[in-house]
Amino acid sequence: MIDISACLMVAPLVVPLVLLLTALVYIDSPGPVFFMQLRTGKGGRRFKMYKFRSMVPNAEELKIKYAHLNELTWPDFKISNDPRITRVGKILRKTSLDELPQLLNVLKGDMSLVGPRPTSFSPETYRLWHTERLEVVPGLTGLGQVSGRSNLDFDQRLKLDIAYIERQSLMMDFKIIFLTAAQIFIGDGAY
């Protein structure tokens, strides 16, 4: 209920911003404005997660070409100066505005405002101790996003996710939302 109410409250601010960003993404790199990717949610259920496209349209195909530049351990994939990222995409990623369309996922019930970030890899990739994170609805932001973001590998983020799940409270959620807003301006670990 809180998730839906919060989304509806910010809608008057978000809708004009989404329209502006839609135009900027398209002008900078013609093609689809949104990027949809299967993510793993509660109970291992796969769902389509929405983002503003921040890379060239054929970025997924180019992933193989740039695999040798991956800076994180498998199953993660991150390149700090990823050549696939567009000019507008750099700004969107640095400010996390590329994540804004995920408010639709929150409204659909696929995601919550706060929780473990959904992974792009399937639940079969998880080791047994990883599966605890699949007991809750994934979030738009979470403890990992305010504690290092992309500077953490999957196992480090998993430990934070499990700590969040075991200590979850409304007060902790508000603290994470506040820290997320601050993180947008700091931009540490966002690339």
Side-chain angles (χ1 to χ4, degrees):
M1 194 64 152
I2 292 173
D3 288 340
I4 293 170
S5 300
C7 287
L8 294 176
M9 282 176 27
V10 300
L13 299 171
V14 170
V15 170
L17 182 58
V18 165
L19 294 173
L20 173 66
L21 294 175
T22 297
L24 291 174
V25 168
Y26 186 79
I27 290 167
D28 184 45
S29 174
V33 172
F34 298 103
F35 174 71
M36 290 171 266
Q37 186 178 52
L38 282 177
R39 295 290 177 114
T40 300
K42 184 176 180 178
R45 185 180 71 79
R46 302 283 279 168
F47 68 94
K48 269 189 192 167
M49 189 179 82
Y50 309 106
K51 296 176 83 164
F52 276 114
R53 182 174 56 82
S54 60
M55 295 186 170
V56 295
N58 64 336
E60 285 297 300
E61 293 86 42
L62 292 174
K63 193 174 183 178
I64 296 165
K65 178 180 178 182
Y66 296 114
H68 67 284
L69 298 175
N70 185 18
E71 299 166 8
L72 297 176
T73 55
W74 186 88
D76 284 331
F77 186 87
K78 264 310 186 199
I79 303 169
S80 2
N81 292 309
D82 198 321
R84 303 171 300 158
I85 298 176
T86 64
R87 290 174 304 191
V88 169
K90 284 182 185 182
I91 297 165
L92 291 176
R93 285 171 165 246
K94 195 72 171 167
T95 59
S96 296
L97 288 172
D98 61 325
E99 311 284 350
L100 209 49
Q102 289 165 38
L103 290 174
L104 289 173
N105 289 112
V106 174
L107 288 172
K108 288 174 55 181
D110 295 328
M111 295 173 68
S112 182
L113 290 176
V114 181
R117 285 292 294 159
T119 59
S120 58
F121 34 89
S122 69
E124 291 78 29
T125 308
Y126 287 48
R127 286 184 265 160
L128 184 59
W129 75 274
H130 293 160
T131 58
E132 186 173 350
R133 81 186 311 265
L134 298 176
E135 294 175 9
V136 297
V137 175
L140 185 63
T141 188
L143 198 52
Q145 279 57 55
V146 297
S147 304
R149 291 171 90 171
S150 295
N151 295 328
L152 303 174
D153 70 17
F154 183 59
D155 283 351
Q156 291 171 315
R157 288 192 319 273
L158 245 305
K159 289 175 184 170
L160 289 170
D161 291 340
I162 291 169
Y164 167 79
I165 291 165
E166 292 174 352
R167 299 188 333 244
Q168 187 177 9
S169 69
L170 197 52
M171 188 57 80
M172 183 181 230
D173 285 358
F174 285 132
K175 181 179 178 183
I176 290 171
I177 290 170
F178 174 77
L179 291 171
T180 299
Q183 190 69 34
I184 289 170
F185 296 104
I186 298 167
D188 184 41
Y191 50 89

